[in-house]
Amino acid sequence: MSYLIFFNPPDPILASGTKEGVELGGSKILLSIDKNHNFHNEGVIYTEMSWAEFYHEEGLEDQIDTFTTKIFDSIRDDPDTLARRIIECLKSVMENHRLFYGIADFECDAFLNQNTVIPGLKLNKELINKLMEAHKKSRDAALFPKLINDTKGLKKINMSIQGLNKKKLIFPGVDLADYADKLHLAKGFATGIIATSKNAANFFMMNDFIVFKEDESPEFYIDRDCITVIEVGIQRKVLFPISWFRIDIGIRSLETLEHWDVIKENEKLQAVLKEYDDYITQLIVKKYKPLASPEEIGGVLEEEFYRMTPRERKKTLADMEEAIRILDEKFKE
């Protein structure tokens, strides 16, 4: 099986536990992807991790006695710093020839309660009870795999994304232009469970509300096949549940930030967003330019295209995509 790589993964993905205690907490980060669709942590919005120690008394071994803060790094209540972090992220993405992918939330609660802690995900109590029991067995037997690798100072792990609709998170294509074509209109989110194995962190996508066209309306579902794979993997002791996740994709994921209404008028942020829009648009135009002449895409010349508003660009790009689809069908006929 071929894996993607997650560079500088957030702490909740690496959380583990013992008979004495567990790591608890969460992280929200800015994500990008490169030409090979590997994931890069471009900046932390918050990371809050604690060590929860269990009681040592018989009968209370799974009850938490004390909490000790391990990491507290947060800018989510500081709009000015948050705006600067996004600006730095987008500049880094462009300088390193990557694409802004979205915002990812990770929450590890050691599956100590019967509720999911990620907004937008609802699972039945039976499955959560199995996750709770599997996490306990992993703690008792010290079975958590060591996922982290240090290579030339870079921290990275192997990762995979599993699920019926995984192509909504792993885009088909061969380069940045193909991925940009999917991301430029993308909005919505996917949720699920991260279960580690010997070789990787496996993202099991349980449901999603991701769309790639303005008029699409997603429907709620739960991926039963993923549940089956997790249950079998737990029984065979090859999968170990670690964390919940939620990934909001596309540039519009920034709108989900708590202080977006405060920072969205920041002039420096607006300038970088415009620069990034030009950057991603140029990739898409280069993709379609060899396939269709300006006359075939409505007579829009490249110079005119760059003078359009973002809304006009989106409309034109959608028209281009539809024109290429029709041409492809005619060619096949």
Side-chain angles (χ1 to χ4, degrees):
M1 179 180 182
S2 60
Y3 293 109
L4 299 172
I5 298 174
F6 198 143
F7 290 93
N8 193 22
D11 292 274
I13 294 182
L14 307 172
S16 62
T18 67
K19 291 181 180 180
E20 285 71 40
V22 290
E23 290 180 297
L24 303 177
S27 187
K28 181 189 286 283
I29 65 171
L30 300 163
L31 268 183
S32 72
I33 55 173
D34 60 28
K35 64 180 181 180
N36 297 313
H37 214 304
N38 295 319
F39 288 73
H40 297 256
N41 178 352
E42 293 286 351
V44 173
I45 296 174
Y46 77 84
T47 296
E48 299 170 3
M49 296 293 295
S50 298
W51 176 256
E53 187 168 341
F54 296 126
Y55 281 100
H56 297 290
E57 300 175 28
E58 186 176 349
L60 297 176
E61 296 90 345
D62 293 326
Q63 302 296 314
I64 294 172
D65 182 15
T66 60
F67 285 94
T68 303
T69 299
K70 293 181 61 179
I71 302 172
F72 183 85
D73 178 12
S74 177
I75 61 169
R76 57 179 167 179
D77 293 322
D78 184 345
D80 291 337
T81 304
L82 179 59
R84 287 197 298 272
R85 183 67 50 84
I86 296 170
I87 291 169
E88 292 166 359
C89 163
L90 293 176
K91 286 183 176 180
S92 172
V93 165
M94 290 183 284
E95 289 169 2
N96 290 288
H97 306 290
R98 297 199 280 258
L99 294 172
F100 179 72
Y101 184 77
I103 296 174
D105 288 271
F106 304 92
E107 295 287 344
C108 59
D109 63 348
F111 302 97
L112 290 173
N113 64 74
Q114 292 187 326
N115 300 299
T116 62
V117 292
I118 285 290
L121 177 60
K122 295 181 180 180
L123 297 174
N124 63 50
K125 295 291 191 292
E126 182 181 356
L127 174 60
I128 296 178
N129 286 336
K130 290 180 180 179
L131 296 172
M132 293 169 66
E133 183 62 25
H135 200 282
K136 182 182 184 305
K137 288 181 178 179
S138 300
R139 299 194 302 264
D140 290 345
L143 293 174
F144 291 96
K146 299 294 183 183
L147 292 175
I148 198 159
N149 300 305
D150 288 318
T151 305
K152 297 180 180 179
L154 289 175
K155 293 181 178 180
K156 63 181 183 179
I157 59 172
N158 291 329
M159 66 171 287
S160 74
I161 295 179
Q162 309 294 332
L164 176 69
N165 287 338
K166 66 181 181 181
K167 286 187 177 180
K168 288 187 175 183
L169 289 182
I170 308 177
F171 307 132
V174 296
D175 57 21
L176 281 184
D178 289 327
Y179 307 150
D181 198 15
K182 294 294 290 184
L183 272 171
H184 79 287
L185 288 178
K187 64 177 181 178
F189 64 90
T191 64
I193 297 168
I194 299 174
T196 65
S197 60
K198 182 178 180 181
N199 297 316
N202 305 283
F203 287 58
F204 288 94
M205 183 176 165
M206 290 294 171
N207 76 339
D208 79 88
F209 292 88
I210 294 173
V211 296
F212 298 98
K213 295 180 180 179
E214 294 290 346
D215 58 349
E216 285 184 328
S217 299
E219 295 183 2
F220 180 79
Y221 70 95
I222 293 294
D223 193 326
R224 301 294 172 185
D225 289 343
C226 271
I227 291 176
T228 299
V229 171
I230 292 173
E231 290 177 338
V232 171
I234 287 172
Q235 290 173 1
R236 295 180 179 177
K237 297 182 180 179
V238 295
L239 285 178
F240 311 95
I242 297 292
S243 172
W244 307 97
F245 76 86
R246 168 172 165 148
I247 299 177
D248 291 75
I249 72 167
I251 198 70
R252 294 185 64 176
S253 65
L254 296 174
E255 298 171 9
T256 67
L257 294 172
E258 187 175 349
H259 293 290
W260 177 248
D261 287 340
V262 177
I263 67 175
K264 67 181 181 181
E265 301 302 329
N266 181 296
E267 290 184 4
K268 292 182 179 179
L269 177 57
Q270 285 292 319
V272 173
L273 286 170
K274 172 63 167 61
E275 184 181 353
Y276 181 75
D277 187 61
D278 290 343
Y279 168 79
I280 196 171
T281 299
Q282 190 174 34
L283 285 169
I284 300 169
V285 169
K286 285 182 178 179
K287 173 183 175 180
Y288 284 112
K289 196 173 181 181
L291 300 176
S293 68
E295 291 76 18
E296 288 172 324
I297 59 173
V300 179
L301 299 176
E302 189 169 351
E303 293 79 8
E304 293 176 352
F305 183 85
Y306 285 108
R307 290 196 292 268
M308 291 179 176
T309 65
R311 182 180 292 274
E312 289 170 336
R313 287 184 186 184
K314 287 181 180 180
K315 174 67 167 60
T316 300
L317 288 171
D319 290 344
M320 289 166 63
E321 188 174 357
E322 179 64 15
I324 298 302
R325 185 188 66 78
I326 293 172
L327 287 171
D328 283 344
E329 288 182 356
K330 289 183 177 179
F331 177 78
K332 289 175 183 178
E333 292 174 359

